[in-house]
Amino acid sequence: MAAWVYDEGMAQGNRARQEDDYGVFELPPELEAGDLLLVLADGMGGEQAGARASALAVRSFVEAYDTVPVATIPERLEHTLAHVNERMALDVASDPHGLSGMGCTLLAVVLTEEGLYWLSVGDSPLWLWRRGRLHRLNQDHAYRSVLVQQVSHGEISAAEAACHPDRNALMSAVTGAELDLVDLPRQAYPLRDDDQILLASDGMLTLEETDIAAILRRASGKGQPIQQLLAAVADRQLAYQDNVTALWV
């Protein structure tokens, strides 16, 4: 097993409740399914449904990942996601009125000797920091990704995109219904010495990527950066700051 070093943390922001959940798990070598599993979910649905959805997703993902009978890590991630989505459907069906609209984003990362695998549904970002630069690896399943394309094609202005009322609307989430978009590469993304991996809920997008990269640069070789990232988000003092959860390796 590689010598992975990791850090984790979360903040509630200015929300009435914490609707994120996460887990970091060292995998048994005999499973032959990776060294380290990181799972992050950002709930939606109002009242207690968002917190319930994210907790259910993380718990059921971890329970299923060890047990699905498949040959490869991408297949294992795919089958585990299907299990989580089925569990979500059953939970919503248990109280259709109270849990209507319940769901969550889901980001799962597996670190192995050959590199990085991930599965992503929703808008929780996965970044690679390499040699001072930050690169987003996973797809953004929020409507802002469509707006970015429209800006690049000259269909709307950057100012119009920035204030579009639906820019943060999710185009895919784990709700128990058919999954519209799933980001699941079939090959490992190769890693290099000193690479840093950051998973986060979308509350981290309060910071610009250049700000995040600068914090990771300062932390390089000196320790774990999560509290610095959370403090930087808090320093922005946004009136409606979302929950923020971050996992770093």
Side-chain angles (χ1 to χ4, degrees), residues 6-214:
Y6 57 87
D7 192 14
E8 57 198 79
M10 61 197 317
Q12 190 165 324
N14 290 320
R15 295 300 176 91
R17 54 196 169 268
Q18 176 59 264
E19 294 187 339
D20 295 351
D21 209 330
Y22 73 91
V24 180
F25 307 93
E26 295 186 1
L27 298 169
E30 60 270 19
L31 189 64
E32 297 183 346
D35 298 333
L36 196 66
L37 170 66
L38 303 95
V39 186
L40 186 152
D42 183 355
M44 57 187 226
E47 296 303 326
Q48 298 302 312
R52 178 168 174 159
S54 59
L56 183 153
V58 172
R59 183 178 67 251
S60 56
F61 196 98
V62 173
E63 290 172 352
Y65 186 81
D66 284 359
T67 60
V68 290
V70 294
T72 70
I73 290 175
E75 290 174 338
R76 186 177 291 274
L77 289 168
E78 185 173 42
H79 282 71
T80 302
L81 173 62
H83 170 80
V84 171
N85 203 42
E86 290 170 4
R87 288 286 304 276
M88 194 74 68
L90 290 172
D91 209 44
V92 172
S94 71
D95 182 7
H97 177 71
L99 300 179
S100 176
M102 183 177 90
C104 63
T105 70
L106 183 62
L107 174 58
V109 166
V110 178
L111 292 159
T112 72
E113 293 284 355
E114 63 266 26
L116 168 75
Y117 294 92
W118 72 83
L119 176 149
S120 180
V121 180
D123 63 352
S124 297
L126 168 64
W127 286 294
L128 166 71
W129 183 93
R130 175 176 288 171
R131 295 183 178 179
R133 298 187 63 184
L134 197 67
H135 311 270
R136 180 155 180 172
L137 297 180
N138 66 335
Q139 298 169 3
D140 184 358
H141 296 155
Y143 190 65
R144 58 179 166 260
S145 62
V146 175
L147 295 173
V148 168
Q149 291 296 318
Q150 291 178 342
V151 170
S152 68
H153 294 151
E155 298 170 8
I156 62 173
S157 69
E160 288 173 319
C163 63
H164 195 287
D166 296 328
R167 62 176 282 100
N168 294 322
L170 287 177
M171 299 187 297
S172 189
V174 180
T175 63
E178 183 178 354
L179 292 162
D180 294 320
L181 298 168
V182 178
D183 185 12
L184 177 56
R186 297 293 169 172
Q187 301 294 326
Y189 188 97
L191 297 175
R192 303 175 186 172
D193 289 346
D194 299 324
D195 280 352
Q196 300 181 43
I197 304 299
L198 180 65
L199 298 71
S201 58
D202 68 332
M204 185 62 71
L205 297 175
T206 294
L207 302 178
E208 299 292 336
E209 289 191 347
T210 52
D211 300 321
I212 296 170

Side-chain angles (χ1 to χ4, degrees), residues 227-241:
Q227 291 309 311
Q228 297 174 52
L229 288 165
L230 296 179
V233 171
D235 286 346
R236 295 299 170 93
Q237 297 183 341
L238 293 190
Y240 302 102
Q241 176 61 52

